[in-house]
Amino acid sequence: MAELDKFDYRLLELLQENSRLTGNELSAKVGLSSAACLRRVQRLRETGVIERDVAIVSPKVFGKKMMVIVLLTMERDRPDRYMLMREEFGRMPEVVQCHHVTGAHDFVLRIQVSDMEEYSAFVDRVFHEPYIKRYESLAVLGSLK
């Protein structure tokens, strides 16, 4: 990983908010020339500091207006089952984020569905397995960031 200075950190902060900022826009906010900003951004990409650029598409475009955060607890510690679950969640279009975590729960999932009926069908299909101890659903009322 590359060694970062205050300019690199500022560029990363700005690009996390809007990865389409131009060299001139970055220059005005960072205090370096446009060319220097673009060289730094290129280096950050080449060294893996910036892993990828993505488009955040409104879920409404796909009719997926409801977001649910799920805290999932597995029945026992079984590393093989955790790997299988991660692979399964990776193939499920409703699961837009999956985090294998420490603490009281094993997974934190972000589920995107059109409505409660679709979420209920997802729950019936996915969470009623003997290796799942419990799950807690948190319907998202609004997102701030």
Side-chain angles (χ1 to χ4, degrees):
M1 204 55 73
E3 196 168 315
L4 306 178
D5 63 18
K6 68 179 185 175
F7 295 110
D8 294 325
Y9 283 111
R10 181 66 180 134
L11 286 166
L12 291 169
E13 288 173 4
L14 293 167
L15 292 171
Q16 278 189 294
E17 290 297 317
N18 181 359
S19 67
R20 297 190 62 179
L21 290 172
T22 66
N24 288 336
E25 291 168 324
L26 290 169
S27 173
K29 295 177 185 219
V30 173
L32 296 173
S33 72
S34 176
C37 287
L38 293 175
R39 276 193 306 274
R40 284 173 176 263
V41 170
Q42 183 62 34
R43 179 179 51 84
L44 293 168
R45 284 191 174 100
E46 289 170 355
T47 58
V49 173
I50 296 176
E51 294 179 359
R52 60 193 168 132
D53 293 294
V54 298
I56 300 172
V57 179
S58 170
K60 294 175 185 171
V61 169
F62 301 108
K64 307 294 183 182
K65 298 176 270 189
M66 183 177 177
M67 183 189 317
V68 181
I69 306 298
V70 177
L71 307 175
L72 181 68
T73 306
M74 304 294 286
E75 189 56 50
R76 300 178 212 77
D77 280 339
R78 286 196 41 207
D80 59 325
R81 176 47 62 187
Y82 292 140
M83 280 304 261
L84 288 172
M85 291 304 296
R86 286 166 34 177
E87 290 171 11
E88 287 180 36
F89 290 143
R91 289 191 297 271
M92 295 176 186
E94 301 91 346
V95 179
V96 294
Q97 287 184 343
C98 173
H99 305 279
H100 188 192
V101 297
T102 63
H105 305 287
D106 297 304
F107 290 97
V108 176
L109 307 172
R110 192 178 103 197
I111 311 295
Q112 200 77 46
V113 291
S114 56
D115 54 28
M116 189 56 79
E117 185 177 339
E118 184 181 348
Y119 180 65
S120 180
F122 175 82
V123 165
D124 290 343
R125 190 177 82 242
V126 177
F127 296 147
H128 295 295
E129 297 291 342
Y131 47 81
I132 294 179
K133 182 176 184 177
R134 69 181 298 261
Y135 68 94
E136 183 177 345
S137 301
L138 307 168
V140 175
L141 299 175
S143 297
L144 306 174
K145 188 172 178 180

